[in-house]
Amino acid sequence: MAAPAAAAEPQASGGPRHPVCLLVLGMAGSGKTTFVQRLTGHLHAQGTPPYVINLDPAVHEVPFPANIDIRDTVKYKEVMKQYPFPSTLVLTHSWLRFCVFCGLKECFCLFPVKYTSKRMEADCGRAISVLNLVSRYGLGPNGGIVTSLNLFATRFDQVMKFIEKAQNMSKYVLIDTPGQIEVFTWSASGTIITEALASSFPTVVIYVMDTSRSTNPVTFMSNMLYACSILYKTKLPFIVVMNKTDIIDHSFAVEWMQDFEAFQDALNQETTYVSNLTRSMSLVLDEFYSSLRVVGVSAVLGTGLDELFVQVTSAAEEYEREYRPEYERLKKSLASAESQQQREQLERLRKDMGSVALDAGTAKDSVSPVLHPSDLILTRGTLDEEDEEADSDTDDIDHRVTEESHEEPAFQNFMQESMAQYWKRNNK
């Protein structure tokens, strides 16, 4: 309990306490959701229940109590139906002998799918719905997730208000992201959500890594490159959580990061072109390793969480010390730029309106004083409107009747076009 409580001490001493947002990212299958479940249970056991947000719209079940669930706001399957696609076959193969849901040839939902234009027969109901949506509509599974996140991001200001209301009850905000890491990391909605959280609350990015799948040095380097790209994209405090230490200890990965020669010895066993590329890139990542926080955790057993919260506390202090001043500076520079732009626009308006007043004054026989631009805006540049109306050559024309005669057929055309579009859309 000491570790979670310590995370809030720097905030409490510096003013109003803000919860620490833990943004959980990672490759598919690395154990992000199980990790969030373990964190939630651990914090509840410590008497500091977190505020949990689920951002995966395609997940079937969430194994933890979510305060905000994107599935309650955006219906993933309905989003895919919003974009109609011609009823033609997207998949041309008559028989598919791999699981279209998980993409593997051997899994719990292995089945042969008979794909025709009228019906589909399969042993996996989940895959039936995915195939049906892919074939009938333009959005596939990843496109549906991206669109769902985009729709949810348009209302993320309301999520920020809920977090602000809960900051007195929760010291941590846990955000579980979609399984496809690129859907969140490299999308506009993911950037909006990350920057919105980081601009208001201490935010720490947790990159969950599958340790059991990183025993190969080439795979390990791929994970580290992705972690490095996320670090420099988000520009936030970063923690690498090496998950599944109950299967294999993460000490080999830590040794590779700290000892360049040990990593080179492991690479010498590989003779492919990728190993040569990995050897070259390992030299570049030395600086990245030097300031990286690494924690070994087992989401199944719950080991390593105490050390994790020590690193979270350090990352939160780093945010307050380095990142928050930078965000405040960016806010001030943005406000100053907007203010300067408004002043320049106002100055151009004054110059433009001043030239109009000068032209209007030289055109008249009698000299009239130059008015302020605001006076010209109010009078729309016509100082003697009553005289112009008196001298008009069209006094005998009823302008009201003429305008109405033009408006009536235009309105009828508008109604006819609207009805035609309505019936056309319903008949599809």
Side-chain angles (χ1 to χ4, degrees):
M1 186 172 179
E9 291 178 359
Q11 302 160 2
S13 61
R17 179 176 57 84
H18 295 292
V20 179
C21 297
L22 303 181
L23 192 62
V24 181
L25 303 174
M27 297 287 189
S30 60
K32 296 185 298 297
T33 302
T34 308
F35 174 72
V36 173
Q37 178 191 17
R38 176 60 64 180
L39 278 183
T40 304
H42 178 77
L43 290 173
H44 274 282
Q46 299 294 334
T48 57
Y51 197 84
V52 187
I53 301 175
N54 172 46
L55 294 182
D56 191 350
V59 66
H60 186 61
E61 292 181 358
V62 177
F64 49 80
N67 300 91
I68 296 178
D69 196 334
I70 187 176
R71 300 176 302 168
D72 298 333
T73 305
V74 182
K75 303 300 181 182
Y76 168 64
K77 294 183 179 180
E78 294 299 324
V79 168
M80 301 173 73
K81 294 180 181 180
Q82 292 297 323
Y83 299 89
F85 195 80
S87 57
T88 57
L89 297 181
V90 176
L91 302 179
T92 58
H93 298 82
S94 59
W95 286 89
L96 301 176
R97 296 194 175 273
F98 60 89
C99 178
V100 294
F101 186 78
C102 64
L104 301 177
K105 292 185 177 181
E106 295 181 359
C107 66
F108 69 92
C109 52
L110 175 64
F111 63 94
V113 181
K114 187 176 181 180
Y115 188 83
T116 64
S117 59
K118 294 183 179 180
R119 62 179 298 183
M120 291 174 296
E121 296 176 356
D123 297 331
C124 180
R126 299 169 68 188
I128 288 178
S129 62
V130 173
L131 266 180
N132 186 30
L133 293 174
V134 172
S135 61
R136 289 188 59 192
Y137 303 100
L139 288 180
N142 289 337
I145 294 176
V146 171
T147 306
S148 299
L149 282 173
N150 291 341
L151 294 173
F152 189 76
T154 60
R155 297 291 182 270
F156 200 74
D157 58 329
Q158 300 178 13
V159 177
M160 299 291 292
K161 293 179 181 178
F162 285 124
I163 297 177
E164 291 176 357
K165 291 180 181 179
Q167 64 182 359
N168 294 327
M169 297 178 292
S170 300
K171 298 179 181 179
Y172 296 93
V173 178
L174 306 181
I175 300 103
D176 188 19
T177 57
Q180 294 81 354
I181 183 174
E182 69 278 357
V183 168
F184 183 85
T185 307
W186 305 107
S187 65
S189 56
T191 303
I192 291 172
I193 292 173
T194 303
E195 292 183 353
L197 291 171
S199 62
S200 301
F201 306 102
T203 304
V204 179
V205 177
I206 295 181
Y207 181 79
V208 181
M209 174 179 163
D210 190 346
T211 310
S212 61
R213 297 295 180 90
S214 300
T215 54
N216 184 285
V218 176
T219 307
F220 172 79
M221 178 57 63
S222 299
N223 264 298
M224 290 295 100
L225 284 175
Y226 214 108
C228 182
S229 65
I230 295 175
L231 170 64
Y232 287 109
K233 185 178 186 301
T234 58
K235 300 178 182 178
L236 290 170
F238 199 82
I239 300 176
V240 174
V241 171
M242 295 187 176
N243 195 17
K244 304 183 182 181
T245 55
D246 54 310
I247 300 177
I248 183 172
D249 190 72
H250 70 291
S251 57
F252 74 94
V254 176
E255 182 183 4
W256 285 352
M257 297 171 63
Q258 295 177 352
D259 189 351
F260 178 79
E261 297 297 332
F263 185 70
Q264 295 300 315
D265 293 340
L267 274 177
N268 290 334
Q269 302 177 6
E270 301 286 337
T271 58
T272 61
Y273 169 76
V274 179
S275 63
N276 295 329
L277 179 63
T278 303
R279 185 175 292 103
S280 301
M281 291 186 296
S282 61
L283 297 172
V284 181
L285 294 182
D286 277 342
E287 184 178 357
F288 171 67
Y289 293 151
S290 61
S291 59
L292 189 64
R293 300 180 177 89
V294 180
V295 181
V297 172
S298 173
V300 175
L301 302 180
T303 58
L305 294 183
D306 292 336
E307 183 182 356
L308 172 64
F309 279 106
V310 172
Q311 297 294 339
V312 168
T313 301
S314 174
E317 294 175 354
E318 180 185 356
Y319 174 89
E320 296 292 345
R321 182 178 63 255
E322 298 181 8
Y323 290 86
R324 183 178 290 279
E326 180 66 16
Y327 272 102
E328 295 296 333
R329 186 189 65 80
L330 291 176
K331 284 182 180 180
K332 292 180 179 180
S333 62
L334 180 60
S336 176
E338 291 179 352
S339 177
Q340 179 65 23
Q341 185 178 7
Q342 292 178 356
R343 287 195 297 268
E344 292 177 356
Q345 292 177 353
L346 182 59
E347 185 64 25
R348 286 197 297 267
L349 177 63
R350 288 176 177 175
K351 292 180 179 179
D352 294 341
M353 299 308 295
S355 61
V356 171
L358 182 60
D359 295 340
T362 56
K364 293 181 179 299
D365 296 333
S366 59
V367 179
S368 60
V370 178
L371 299 180
H372 194 269
S374 60
D375 298 331
L376 291 172
I377 294 174
L378 293 175
T379 59
R380 297 185 180 179
T382 56
L383 303 178
D384 298 329
E385 185 177 357
E386 296 179 357
D387 296 340
E388 292 181 359
E389 291 181 355
D391 296 338
S392 177
D393 296 335
T394 59
D395 292 339
D396 55 338
I397 299 177
D398 191 347
H399 295 279
R400 181 176 57 83
V401 176
T402 303
E403 293 175 356
E404 291 179 354
S405 63
H406 289 292
E407 291 176 355
E408 184 175 358
F411 181 77
Q412 291 179 355
N413 294 334
F414 171 77
M415 292 298 296
Q416 291 176 358
E417 293 177 358
S418 300
M419 292 298 294
Q421 294 178 0
Y422 175 80
W423 289 112
K424 182 178 180 180
R425 186 167 55 251
N426 289 341
N427 291 333
K428 287 184 177 181

